[in-house]
C-alpha cells in the first residue's frame, strides 16, 4: 500500500516508525515530516493547509490511504475533501472533529447523552463568565472553546485567577479559540488518558496513559503540550477501563451518530478518576503527543491493519495486542518553553536506538547537515521496562547520553506510578 501520513512531530515520528513495520506497507510518504521520520519514510514538502495540493499529490502518487496525525487539518476539513475525491482516510470528518475543535460542543454532547463530566456553562462575553465564576467560587476551570495547542485551559485555584484567565481568552491570548469560553467545575482526582479506535459503529479499546502537563518537576509551573508520559496508567484498572467504554466512549459514539456526525478515528479521552468513577474532562480526535509515543512502543499488533479496519468500518473483526512492559517517554524541550525560546540550537549527540529505547524527533531540522532544534518540544526519549521505575531509569539514562546544551527536561516523569510501586 502507498500511505500518506500528515504531520511533523513526535507523534508522527512514532506513527511512521510503527507503520513502517507493517507487512501491508509498500511506500510511506510523510508531509511535512522531520529528520527522524526520514529514517522510515519519504518526506514531502506539502502545505497541508492547501487542500488542493494535498489532493493533487495523492492523485499523482496513487495514494491508497491517508493517516492524520495532528488535529488542525481535521478541524479544517481536509479529511472531507480527500474523502470526496475517493481517498480512504484515518481521521474524523470536520463535523466530528468538533469534539476537539469546540470544548462547548463536547460538553453539550455529554449533557445530551448523560456522559459523566463536570458541570459547566458556555459564555461569549467576559462579564457573564466572571459573574458565574463568582457565584460558583474556586477552584474552577476556564477553557478557551477552540484549538489552543493544549494551552487554553486554566485550573484556577482562586476567583481572581479564573477572572484573569477569562480576560486572557476574550482579549485574544488564544486568537479565535478564545472567542467563546467554557467554565466548568473543578474535578478532584487523578488524571488519565484513554484511547479507543472507533469506526462509527464499533469502538475498540486501545490503552491508557498518563501525561505530565506542567513544565516543572512536582507538577509545577505553566501548562505545556506535555512533558512526558507513560503507559499503561496504573490508575486505569480493568474495571475502570470497562466503565470508561460503557459510560463514556460508547455513548459518545452513539451520540455522534445520532447527531448526524458519525465518528471514525481515534477517541482520545482526557479523564479524571473521581470518587464517582471516570469523568470526561475533554476529547481529542487524534493520538496524544507524547502519549502516542508510549502507545506505539507497547503495541504488538500491526498499526496499519488497525487503522485500515477503522477507516473501512471493519473494527468488529479487529483485535489489538500489547506488550506487558511499561513504556515511558521524557520530552526534551528548548530552554524557555512554554515561553519564548531560541531556535536553531545545535543537537550534538543522540543516544543509540535499541530494542527498548527509541528517540522520537518532535521539533528538529537539518541545517548544513547538522541536527538542530526548531521547536519548543524537540525530542522524546522513550523506553520500555518491566516496571515504571525500570522504564523511567532507562529513559533518563538515554537522556544523559544526549548532548544538547539548550535542552531541558523534567526529571520526575512517572513519579506517581513509581511511588505506587514503592508502596
Amino acid at each position: 500500500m502507498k500511505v500518506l501520513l500528515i504531520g511533523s512531530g513526535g507523534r508522527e515520528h512514532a506513527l511512521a516508525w510503527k507503520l513502517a513495520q507493517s507487512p501491508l506497507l509498500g511506500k510511506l510518504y510523510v508531509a511535512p515530516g522531520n529528520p527522524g521520520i526520514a529514517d522510515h519514510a519519504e518526506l514531502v514538502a506539502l502545505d497541508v493547509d492547501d487542500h488542493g495540493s494535498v489532493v493533487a499529490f495523492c492523485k499523482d502518487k496513487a495514494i491508497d490511504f491517508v493517516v492524520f496525525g495532528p488535529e488542525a487539518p481535521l478541524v479544517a476539513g481536509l479529511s472531507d475533501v480527500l474523502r470526496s475525491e475517493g481517498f480512504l482516510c484515518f481521521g474524523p470528518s470536520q463535523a466530528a472533529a468538533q469534539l476537539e475543535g469546540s470544548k462547548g460542543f463536547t460538553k453539550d454532547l455529554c449533557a445530551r447523552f448523560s456522559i459523566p463530566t463536570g458541570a459547566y456553562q458556555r459564555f461569549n462575553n467576559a462579564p457573564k463568565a466572571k459573574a458565574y465564576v463568582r457565584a460558583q467560587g474556586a477552584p474552577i476551570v476556564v477553557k478557551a472553546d477552540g484549538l489552543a495547542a493544549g494551552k487554553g485551559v486554566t485550573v484556577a485555584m482562586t476567583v481572581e485567577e479564573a477572572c484573569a484567565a477569562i480576560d486572557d481568552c476574550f482579549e485574544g491570548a488564544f486568537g479565535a479559540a478564545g472567542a467563546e469560553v467554557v467554565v466548568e467545575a473543578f474535578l478532584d482526582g487523578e488524571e488519565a488518558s484513554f484511547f479507543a479506535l472507533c469506526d462509527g459503529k464499533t469502538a475498540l479499546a486501545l490503552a491508557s496513559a498518563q501525561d505530565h502537563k506542567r513544565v516543572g518537576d512536582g507538577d509545577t509551573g505553566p501548562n505545556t503540550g506535555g512533558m512526558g508520559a507513560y503507559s499503561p496508567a496504573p490508575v486505569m484498572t480493568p474495571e475502570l477501563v470497562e466503565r470508561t467504554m460503557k459510560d463514556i466512549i460508547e455513548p459518545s459514539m452513539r451520540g455522534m451518530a445520532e447527531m448526524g456526525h458519525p465518528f471514525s478515528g481515534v477517541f482520545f479521552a482526557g479523564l479524571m478518576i473521581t470518587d464517582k468513577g471516570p469523568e470526561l474532562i475533554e476529547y481529542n480526535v487524534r493520538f496524544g503527543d507524547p502519549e502516542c509515543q508510549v502507545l506505539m512502543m507497547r503495541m504488538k499488533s500491526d498499526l496499519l491493519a488497525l487503522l485500515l479496519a477503522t477507516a473501512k468500518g471493519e473494527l468488529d473483526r479487529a483485535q489489538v495486542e500489547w506488550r506487558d512492559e511499561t513504556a515511558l517517554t521524557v520530552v526534551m524541550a528548548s530552554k524557555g518553553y512554554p515561553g519564548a525560546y531560541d531556535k536553531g540550537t545545535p543537537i550534538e549527540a543522540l543516544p543509540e536506538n535499541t530494542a527498548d529505547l527509541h528517540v522520537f524527533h518532535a521539533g528538529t531540522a537539518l541545517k548544513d547537515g547538522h541536527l538542530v532544534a526548531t521547536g519548543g518540544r524537540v525530542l522524546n526519549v522513550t523506553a520500555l521496562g518491566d516496571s515504571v521505575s525500570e522504564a523511567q531509569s532507562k529513559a533518563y539514562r538515554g537522556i544523559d547520553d544526549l548532548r544538547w546544551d539548550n535542552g531541558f527536561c523534567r526529571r520526575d516523569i512517572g513519579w506517581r506510578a513509581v511511588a505506587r510501586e514503592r508502596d
Side-chain angles (χ1 to χ4, degrees), residues 193 210-216 218-219 223-230 290-291 328-329 331 377 392 410 412-417:
S193 301
Q210 217 152 25
D211 187 13
H212 299 63
K213 283 288 185 202
R214 301 285 185 128
V215 74
D219 290 337
N223 268 346
T224 68
M227 293 300 291
Y230 56 92
E291 293 96 337
L328 183 143
T329 190
V331 172
R377 297 186 299 165
Q392 184 193 56
R410 278 183 58 164
D412 66 344
I413 299 302
W415 66 273
R416 277 195 188 86

Side-chain angles (χ1 to χ4, degrees), residues 397-412:
R397 280 203 297 276
I399 291 276
D400 293 338
D401 289 340
L402 199 155
R403 291 211 313 278
W404 171 34
D405 290 344
N406 199 51
F408 81 97
C409 67
R410 278 183 58 164
R411 299 295 307 193
D412 66 344

Side-chain angles (χ1 to χ4, degrees), residues 20-107:
Q21 297 167 30
S22 172
L24 301 173
L25 184 73
K27 176 79 174 177
L28 179 61
Y29 299 95
V30 184
N34 67 40
I37 294 172
D39 291 341
H40 318 289
E42 182 177 325
L43 305 189
V44 187
L46 272 180
D47 176 5
V48 297
D49 293 331
D50 179 354
H51 294 179
S53 70
V54 178
V55 169
F57 174 83
C58 290
K59 288 180 175 175
D60 181 51
K61 299 295 184 184
I63 296 295
D64 298 300
F65 190 37
V66 182
V67 176
F68 283 82
E71 65 278 6
L74 292 165
V75 173
L78 178 55
S79 64
D80 301 66
V81 172
L82 287 166
R83 284 189 177 104
S84 72
E85 294 283 348
F87 293 103
L88 192 64
C89 296
F90 175 81
S93 66
Q94 184 174 30
Q98 288 179 90
L99 276 174
E100 179 163 2
S102 167
K103 305 284 193 301
F105 176 88
T106 298
K107 297 298 275 191

Side-chain angles (χ1 to χ4, degrees), residues 12 46 80 195 202 206 236 263 271 278 295 328 353 367 395:
E12 288 75 33
L46 272 180
D80 301 66
F195 297 85
T202 303
L206 290 180
M236 288 296 287
F263 186 91
L271 304 175
L295 262 59
L328 183 143
N353 290 326
K367 187 178 177 185

Side-chain angles (χ1 to χ4, degrees), residues 142-338:
V142 177
K143 296 179 176 179
D145 180 70
L147 294 181
K151 302 183 187 77
V153 176
T154 301
V155 179
M157 302 316 287
T158 65
V159 168
E160 292 72 26
E161 190 185 355
C163 289
I166 289 165
D167 284 336
D168 281 347
C169 288
F170 287 119
E171 287 169 11
F174 307 108
E180 187 174 318
V181 165
V182 173
V183 182
E184 67 181 44
F186 171 78
L187 295 176
D188 198 16
E190 188 169 342
E191 282 192 61
S193 301
F194 185 74
F195 297 85
L197 293 175
C198 178
D199 65 7
K201 308 179 298 295
T202 303
L204 176 68
L206 290 180
S208 64
Q210 217 152 25
D211 187 13
H212 299 63
K213 283 288 185 202
R214 301 285 185 128
V215 74
D217 287 5
D219 290 337
T220 56
N223 268 346
T224 68
M227 293 300 291
Y230 56 92
S231 174
V235 70
M236 288 296 287
T237 61
E239 185 224 351
L240 284 175
V241 168
E242 196 176 314
R243 283 185 64 183
T244 299
M245 289 299 290
K246 183 169 71 71
D247 297 344
I248 296 176
I249 301 294
E250 287 167 4
S252 298
M253 174 181 72
R254 290 192 297 269
M256 291 296 285
E258 190 177 314
M259 292 165 71
H261 314 311
F263 186 91
S264 172
V266 62
F267 279 124
F268 164 10
L271 304 175
M272 186 69 79
I273 311 305
T274 71
D275 294 341
K276 293 187 279 185
E279 298 194 42
L280 184 70
I281 302 171
E282 65 178 9
Y283 266 131
N284 297 305
V285 298
R286 36 72 193 179
F287 287 104
D289 191 348
E291 293 96 337
C292 184
Q293 290 82 313
V294 288
L295 262 59
M296 293 305 111
M297 285 288 276
R298 288 188 56 227
M299 185 181 280
K300 285 168 74 173
S301 302
D302 180 345
L303 175 66
L304 182 51
L306 284 167
L307 302 188
L308 277 169
T310 306
K312 290 178 173 178
E314 297 171 358
L315 270 184
D316 56 337
R317 300 202 291 273
Q319 290 180 309
V320 60
E321 282 188 82
W322 300 95
R323 299 174 66 141
D324 292 332
E325 296 102 317
T326 292
L328 183 143
T329 190
V330 180
V331 172
M332 282 292 286
S334 295
K335 286 175 183 170
Y337 176 80

